[in-house]
Amino acid sequence: MTMTLRSKAMLMTIVAAIAIVASPAAWAQALDYSDADLWWASDSSAQHNIDVFYVLPTCVGAWTDAAGTTHFNADAYSAKHRKAWLLSCRLAKDIFGNGTNLYLPYYRQATFGSPSTPAQADSIRSIARGDVLAAFEHYMKHYNRGRRFILAGFSQGACLLVDIVKSLDSRALSRMVAAYAVGGNVTRSDLKHPNVKAARGATDTGVIVCFNSWAKMRGEKSRNVLFPDNVVCINPITWSTSSRKATLLPAGSTPKAHDPNFPYGTSVVPATEGAAVTVAVDKSNHMLMVEGIDPKVYSLPKMSNYFPLGSLHLQELFFYADALRKNVKVRSRASLQSTRNVK
């Protein structure tokens, strides 16, 4: 008898409650990604010669099950959680899924919320990491079939990409076009790993593309609130790591309308009508500084403890969507034309 998604969700909730009380190790065991229900997209038809493996950002808050147990990991089978992920899934498809085969797993991501102890926080992150690595392993064994692949993710998903990159053997690494860790965290320690190399231009391959954005405000000191240890930043408009300003929105342009599906500004709109909006790498903070916008338009007051005024973390996939779409094609072409042995 085939188990429905609702039945699986109920079962997983019950198992989760029992496992946390009886056996934390059992709850930490990775999900079985041979289950097709754990994939939003897994293009087995493979019509293109480049794959994209995408890791979702944090979209779910801490939740309480029917037994009264509070969870700080999402339920990968929950219809409610999947509904919260849907817009992010569609955005991933729109930006990274053009001319590629998209593989996007659900996983027990760490939720918004504060666990009681550092040890619990480590356990929560470990569960998310274990699921993502298991999903990627399944993808490589059953879906990839020797093709070049792109890793992509945003926020929590971007951070987990670093773990995937570190896990690659030399044969797999030679097929990685790039890892687009948008709004992610790459530390000095990460860069010591032989697999981890920061992107320096538009066509280098086997690299990590990472950036975080902040709105430049007069009299306010910028800082990477989410990832103070991040040391990697490239400007996706120029694909340069220099501090030279680039035009994000030319003067006199008509801005796009904000996406009504999101409770914050998503389009690049100048603070002064008709003015230009620029973006530049701030080398002292390893961040992108966006100048010429009103940060209040992009704030989400109910999430200000995560994203204070000035943070443009929530806007990054929107602001640089066109640049990312184009660069996926450019890097893919460069990778396919390379002479590396990928057998």
Side-chain angles (χ1 to χ4, degrees):
M1 181 177 180
T2 302
M3 185 177 289
T4 66
L5 181 61
R6 181 180 178 85
S7 298
K8 286 181 178 179
M10 292 176 65
L11 178 61
M12 287 297 294
T13 299
I14 294 170
V15 170
I18 294 172
I20 282 183
V21 173
S23 175
W27 174 238
Q29 184 176 354
L31 297 176
D32 179 2
Y33 282 91
S34 64
D35 185 351
D37 280 343
L38 285 173
W39 297 85
W40 182 76
S42 57
D43 192 351
S44 58
S45 62
Q47 298 175 354
H48 305 286
N49 51 17
I50 298 289
D51 292 349
V52 172
F53 182 90
Y54 190 87
V55 185
L56 288 164
T58 314
C59 300
V60 176
W63 56 285
T64 303
D65 62 28
T69 302
T70 298
H71 298 270
F72 297 100
N73 287 97
D75 180 351
Y77 284 104
S78 165
K80 181 179 180 180
H81 292 181
R82 292 185 177 198
K83 183 177 180 180
W85 287 321
L86 183 57
L87 288 175
S88 290
C89 292
R90 290 173 175 169
L91 189 59
K93 176 69 174 176
D94 178 55
I95 295 174
F96 296 101
N98 295 291
T100 64
N101 311 304
L102 179 66
Y103 298 86
L104 192 160
Y106 295 115
Y107 70 105
R108 292 171 297 176
Q109 62 178 219
T111 67
F112 291 112
S114 301
S116 58
T117 66
Q120 187 182 16
D122 288 342
S123 176
I124 289 162
R125 287 191 290 267
S126 179
I127 290 169
R129 184 185 306 112
D131 280 358
V132 168
L133 290 174
F136 182 75
E137 181 180 8
H138 183 83
Y139 153 75
M140 290 295 281
K141 285 183 177 179
H142 300 282
Y143 298 141
N144 176 258
R145 298 172 186 168
R147 291 186 296 272
R148 301 293 176 103
F149 62 89
I150 289 168
L151 300 176
F154 173 58
S155 196
Q156 178 177 178
C159 296
L160 290 170
L161 293 188
V162 179
D163 293 297
I164 296 178
V165 172
K166 290 179 178 179
S167 76
L168 299 177
D169 61 26
S170 59
R171 291 163 67 94
L173 186 63
S174 71
R175 300 204 309 275
M176 187 183 82
V177 176
Y180 289 86
V182 180
N185 187 30
V186 182
T187 67
R188 294 189 189 281
S189 176
D190 291 329
L191 289 174
K192 293 179 181 178
H193 193 285
N195 288 6
V196 180
K197 297 177 176 62
R200 297 295 178 187
T203 60
D204 45 352
T205 58
V207 295
I208 295 183
V209 174
C210 184
F211 51 82
N212 292 269
S213 301
W214 190 268
K216 188 171 184 178
M217 296 182 287
R218 184 176 299 177
E220 293 287 336
K221 185 177 180 180
S222 63
R223 67 230 189 257
N224 193 335
V225 175
L226 288 179
F227 307 117
D229 295 331
N230 177 65
V231 294
V232 172
C233 184
I234 192 168
N235 190 328
I237 303 303
T238 60
W239 296 107
S240 167
T241 58
S242 79
S243 56
R244 180 172 55 88
K245 288 184 180 180
T247 301
L248 186 57
L249 183 76
S253 299
T254 300
K256 296 179 182 178
H258 295 299
D259 189 328
N261 292 305
F262 296 86
Y264 45 79
T266 58
S267 179
V268 181
V269 179
T272 302
E273 186 176 356
V277 177
T278 63
V279 59
V281 174
D282 176 353
K283 288 183 173 292
S284 63
N285 290 292
H286 308 287
M287 291 180 66
L288 294 176
M289 298 301 297
V290 179
E291 187 172 1
I293 62 173
D294 179 359
K296 295 185 181 68
V297 173
Y298 304 97
S299 67
L300 186 60
K302 68 179 182 180
M303 299 289 283
S304 60
N305 55 325
Y306 292 102
F307 315 115
L309 185 66
S311 171
L312 297 175
H313 182 74
L314 298 173
Q315 285 73 33
E316 288 179 312
L317 285 178
F318 299 100
F319 276 22
Y320 313 113
D322 288 343
L324 288 167
R325 288 189 197 97
K326 292 175 183 176
N327 191 249
V328 163
K329 293 180 180 179
V330 169
R331 283 189 205 274
S332 295
R333 186 162 54 246
S335 181
L336 289 168
Q337 291 173 347
S338 72
T339 58
R340 286 180 295 181
N341 181 7
V342 297
K343 293 181 180 179

